[in-house]
Amino acid sequence: MKIAISSDHRGFRTKQGIIDQLRQADHEVEDCGCDSTESCDYPDTAKLAGGLVSNGEAERAILICGTGLGMSIAANKLCRVRAALCHDELTAQMSRKHNDANVLCLPADLISDQLIGSMVETWLSTEFEGGRHARRIEKIDAMEKEHCSGS
Ligand code: RB5
């Protein structure tokens, strides 16, 4: 799978660990920054990695900041992005099964690296259930078409 990844300074260290994990699992990873723990603004790198999902160049993206909140708010401004802020294995799993999330947002300051590693694995291996959930995603897509120019 081609996976874009980005973080701000608070998520930088966690991002590097996830990149290693993804490459070990033979995923193709596009690292969209940031490149150090020097302070930066999460919308800038959310736009880069989320943008690759939005334009179809990546299947999924993983975005990390301190709480995950800023990344999820920013990424959900992008057309065709369904970004889910997850805090545990269950939310990671449900974001795929019911919401077909194509962007995973993670809170580097709030949960352990070990939990993040297993959430990433779960999120990447869980399929969308479709059915009644597909109808709901179609309604979200219709909202986007009404309000998102260029979609
Ligand atoms: C950066 O200080 C912090 O605000 C950011 O990492 C994130 O938590 C924002 O939602």
Side-chain angles (χ1 to χ4, degrees), residues 65-89:
C65 65
T67 60
L69 287 164
M71 283 297 196
S72 60
I73 292 168
N76 277 313
K77 298 293 181 194
L78 298 166
C79 301
R80 292 169 290 277
V81 162
R82 290 180 298 280
L85 171 57
C86 297
H87 292 90
D88 50 33
E89 289 228 38

Short mmCIF file of all heavy atoms in Angstrom, two decimals, residues 65-89:
data_model
loop_
_atom_site.label_atom_id
_atom_site.label_comp_id
_atom_site.label_asym_id
_atom_site.label_seq_id
_atom_site.Cartn_x
_atom_site.Cartn_y
_atom_site.Cartn_z
N CYS A 65 0.17 14.65 15.52
CA CYS A 65 0.57 15.86 16.24
C CYS A 65 0.40 15.57 17.74
O CYS A 65 0.25 14.40 18.11
CB CYS A 65 -0.21 17.10 15.78
SG CYS A 65 -1.97 17.09 16.10
N GLY A 66 0.46 16.57 18.58
CA GLY A 66 0.42 16.32 20.02
C GLY A 66 -0.86 15.61 20.45
O GLY A 66 -0.84 14.57 21.09
N THR A 67 -1.99 16.19 20.09
CA THR A 67 -3.28 15.61 20.45
C THR A 67 -3.97 14.91 19.28
O THR A 67 -4.98 14.22 19.48
CB THR A 67 -4.25 16.72 20.91
OG1 THR A 67 -4.42 17.64 19.82
CG2 THR A 67 -3.74 17.45 22.13
N GLY A 68 -3.49 15.12 18.08
CA GLY A 68 -4.17 14.61 16.88
C GLY A 68 -5.31 15.50 16.43
O GLY A 68 -5.84 15.34 15.32
N LEU A 69 -5.70 16.43 17.28
CA LEU A 69 -6.88 17.26 16.97
C LEU A 69 -6.64 18.20 15.79
O LEU A 69 -7.46 18.28 14.87
CB LEU A 69 -7.26 18.09 18.21
CG LEU A 69 -7.91 17.30 19.35
CD1 LEU A 69 -7.89 18.10 20.65
CD2 LEU A 69 -9.33 16.93 18.98
N GLY A 70 -5.53 18.92 15.85
CA GLY A 70 -5.25 19.87 14.77
C GLY A 70 -5.13 19.17 13.44
O GLY A 70 -5.68 19.63 12.42
N MET A 71 -4.43 18.04 13.43
CA MET A 71 -4.26 17.28 12.18
C MET A 71 -5.62 16.84 11.63
O MET A 71 -5.86 16.92 10.43
CB MET A 71 -3.37 16.07 12.42
CG MET A 71 -1.89 16.39 12.51
SD MET A 71 -1.27 17.09 10.96
CE MET A 71 0.49 16.90 11.21
N SER A 72 -6.49 16.38 12.50
CA SER A 72 -7.78 15.87 12.00
C SER A 72 -8.65 17.01 11.50
O SER A 72 -9.32 16.88 10.45
CB SER A 72 -8.51 15.03 13.06
OG SER A 72 -8.78 15.79 14.21
N ILE A 73 -8.64 18.13 12.20
CA ILE A 73 -9.43 19.28 11.74
C ILE A 73 -8.92 19.75 10.38
O ILE A 73 -9.71 19.98 9.44
CB ILE A 73 -9.38 20.42 12.78
CG1 ILE A 73 -10.12 20.00 14.05
CG2 ILE A 73 -9.99 21.71 12.21
CD1 ILE A 73 -9.88 20.93 15.25
N ALA A 74 -7.60 19.85 10.25
CA ALA A 74 -7.01 20.34 8.99
C ALA A 74 -7.27 19.35 7.85
O ALA A 74 -7.69 19.74 6.76
CB ALA A 74 -5.51 20.57 9.18
N ALA A 75 -7.02 18.07 8.10
CA ALA A 75 -7.12 17.08 7.02
C ALA A 75 -8.55 16.97 6.50
O ALA A 75 -8.77 16.76 5.29
CB ALA A 75 -6.63 15.72 7.51
N ASN A 76 -9.53 17.13 7.39
CA ASN A 76 -10.92 17.00 6.95
C ASN A 76 -11.40 18.17 6.10
O ASN A 76 -12.53 18.15 5.61
CB ASN A 76 -11.84 16.74 8.14
CG ASN A 76 -11.85 15.26 8.51
OD1 ASN A 76 -11.98 14.41 7.64
ND2 ASN A 76 -11.69 14.97 9.78
N LYS A 77 -10.56 19.17 5.92
CA LYS A 77 -10.87 20.26 4.97
C LYS A 77 -10.57 19.84 3.54
O LYS A 77 -10.97 20.52 2.60
CB LYS A 77 -10.06 21.52 5.29
CG LYS A 77 -10.32 22.13 6.65
CD LYS A 77 -11.71 22.70 6.75
CE LYS A 77 -11.93 23.33 8.12
NZ LYS A 77 -13.36 23.58 8.35
N LEU A 78 -9.82 18.76 3.37
CA LEU A 78 -9.40 18.34 2.03
C LEU A 78 -10.47 17.45 1.39
O LEU A 78 -11.02 16.57 2.05
CB LEU A 78 -8.07 17.58 2.12
CG LEU A 78 -6.89 18.40 2.67
CD1 LEU A 78 -5.73 17.47 3.02
CD2 LEU A 78 -6.45 19.44 1.66
N CYS A 79 -10.71 17.67 0.11
CA CYS A 79 -11.70 16.88 -0.61
C CYS A 79 -11.32 15.40 -0.59
O CYS A 79 -10.15 15.05 -0.71
CB CYS A 79 -11.77 17.31 -2.07
SG CYS A 79 -12.19 19.04 -2.26
N ARG A 80 -12.33 14.56 -0.44
CA ARG A 80 -12.19 13.10 -0.47
C ARG A 80 -11.43 12.53 0.72
O ARG A 80 -11.14 11.34 0.76
CB ARG A 80 -11.53 12.61 -1.78
CG ARG A 80 -12.42 12.82 -3.01
CD ARG A 80 -11.68 12.58 -4.30
NE ARG A 80 -10.71 13.63 -4.54
CZ ARG A 80 -11.00 14.82 -5.08
NH1 ARG A 80 -12.22 15.07 -5.48
NH2 ARG A 80 -10.07 15.74 -5.24
N VAL A 81 -11.08 13.37 1.68
CA VAL A 81 -10.40 12.86 2.87
C VAL A 81 -11.42 12.58 3.97
O VAL A 81 -12.30 13.39 4.24
CB VAL A 81 -9.34 13.88 3.37
CG1 VAL A 81 -8.95 13.59 4.81
CG2 VAL A 81 -8.12 13.84 2.46
N ARG A 82 -11.31 11.39 4.56
CA ARG A 82 -12.08 11.05 5.76
C ARG A 82 -11.06 10.74 6.85
O ARG A 82 -10.52 9.62 6.92
CB ARG A 82 -12.99 9.84 5.50
CG ARG A 82 -14.15 10.12 4.56
CD ARG A 82 -15.03 8.90 4.34
NE ARG A 82 -14.27 7.82 3.73
CZ ARG A 82 -14.00 7.76 2.41
NH1 ARG A 82 -14.43 8.69 1.58
NH2 ARG A 82 -13.30 6.74 1.93
N ALA A 83 -10.75 11.77 7.63
CA ALA A 83 -9.71 11.64 8.65
C ALA A 83 -10.33 11.31 9.99
O ALA A 83 -11.29 11.96 10.42
CB ALA A 83 -8.92 12.94 8.74
N ALA A 84 -9.79 10.30 10.66
CA ALA A 84 -10.32 9.87 11.96
C ALA A 84 -9.24 10.00 13.03
O ALA A 84 -8.13 9.46 12.88
CB ALA A 84 -10.79 8.43 11.87
N LEU A 85 -9.57 10.73 14.08
CA LEU A 85 -8.69 10.83 15.25
C LEU A 85 -8.98 9.64 16.15
O LEU A 85 -10.11 9.48 16.64
CB LEU A 85 -8.95 12.14 15.99
CG LEU A 85 -8.27 12.31 17.35
CD1 LEU A 85 -6.76 12.14 17.24
CD2 LEU A 85 -8.62 13.66 17.95
N CYS A 86 -7.99 8.79 16.35
CA CYS A 86 -8.20 7.56 17.11
C CYS A 86 -7.29 7.51 18.34
O CYS A 86 -6.17 8.04 18.31
CB CYS A 86 -7.93 6.35 16.22
SG CYS A 86 -9.07 6.26 14.81
N HIS A 87 -7.79 6.88 19.39
CA HIS A 87 -7.05 6.82 20.66
C HIS A 87 -6.77 5.41 21.15
O HIS A 87 -6.09 5.22 22.15
CB HIS A 87 -7.84 7.55 21.76
CG HIS A 87 -7.92 9.03 21.54
ND1 HIS A 87 -8.93 9.62 20.83
CD2 HIS A 87 -7.08 10.02 21.91
CE1 HIS A 87 -8.73 10.93 20.80
NE2 HIS A 87 -7.62 11.19 21.44
N ASP A 88 -7.35 4.43 20.48
CA ASP A 88 -7.15 3.04 20.93
C ASP A 88 -7.44 2.10 19.77
O ASP A 88 -7.81 2.55 18.68
CB ASP A 88 -8.08 2.73 22.13
CG ASP A 88 -9.52 3.14 21.85
OD1 ASP A 88 -9.95 3.05 20.68
OD2 ASP A 88 -10.20 3.56 22.80
N GLU A 89 -7.26 0.82 20.00
CA GLU A 89 -7.44 -0.16 18.92
C GLU A 89 -8.87 -0.18 18.40
O GLU A 89 -9.10 -0.36 17.22
CB GLU A 89 -7.05 -1.55 19.41
CG GLU A 89 -5.56 -1.67 19.60
CD GLU A 89 -5.01 -2.92 18.96
OE1 GLU A 89 -5.47 -3.30 17.87
OE2 GLU A 89 -4.11 -3.51 19.58
#
